[in-house]
Amino acid sequence: MIRALDLADPETAKRVLVVQHLAYAVEAELIGFDGIPPLQEDLAGLMASTEHWLGRYEGDTLVAAVAYEFPDESTVEISRLVVDPAHARRGHGRALLDHLDAVEPRPASLVSTGSANHPATALYLSRGYTETGRTTIAPGVQVTHFSRTR
């Protein structure tokens, strides 16, 4: 089940934070860089987020979440996509992205991920995203930017 998340609710925000930290710890290992801002974020910072959130549940357990923003009226920007590593490789990320496309259909979509995060890169490419550039964020560490138009 997928539903909108209210991060003003402390219990929801706590579970999102746990999933976020677990997911970004995996990405940090993949890209060889632990300075990823969401990995360092605390509960107050997460609850202050202005992003929109969707969560995917197995029963009553939040197993994945996607955060997104609207930089303009025709674009959705995916700012975070996190899957609890204990529930990885089961289609939760793809399901969240499919649901986001259905509930917030926009002509353009943007997303970025660590260039060495091959599972995320493969997911975005398989959904029709194309690479638009790379940014070096630390020595030897790059972020790849993707866009998709429909």
Side-chain angles (χ1 to χ4, degrees):
M1 172 172 58
I2 295 175
R3 66 178 185 243
L5 299 177
D6 177 8
L7 270 63
D9 172 60
E11 291 307 311
T12 299
K14 285 177 189 174
R15 180 60 187 153
V16 170
L17 188 65
V18 168
V19 172
Q20 176 174 290
H21 283 170
L22 291 169
Y24 280 108
V26 170
E27 181 168 18
E29 189 169 322
L30 288 171
I31 69 173
F33 178 70
D34 66 359
I36 303 168
L39 184 58
Q40 314 303 324
E41 191 169 42
D42 63 12
L43 184 61
L46 184 62
M47 291 180 74
S49 164
T50 59
E51 297 153 302
H52 304 274
W53 287 84
L54 295 171
R56 178 150 166 129
Y57 288 81
E58 282 189 351
D60 293 333
T61 303
L62 179 71
V63 297
V66 63
Y68 56 97
E69 300 174 286
F70 304 107
D72 60 53
E73 64 186 36
S74 66
T75 305
V76 61
E77 183 169 3
I78 299 160
S79 49
R80 312 177 202 209
L81 177 60
V82 295
V83 178
D84 183 329
H87 298 270
R89 303 279 197 220
R90 296 185 195 162
H92 297 300
R94 180 175 300 280
L96 281 166
L97 295 175
D98 290 346
H99 189 81
L100 177 57
D101 283 346
V103 298
E104 294 292 352
R106 305 285 166 129
S109 181
L110 306 172
V111 68
S112 299
T113 191
S115 299
N117 185 344
H118 300 296
T121 299
L123 173 62
Y124 298 128
L125 291 172
S126 75
R127 298 191 76 258
Y129 286 82
T130 58
E131 183 177 330
T132 58
R134 293 183 182 215
T135 303
T136 300
I137 60 169
V141 181
Q142 290 188 324
V143 169
T144 301
H145 308 283
F146 296 94
S147 70
R148 184 189 66 191
T149 55
R150 322 192 225 179

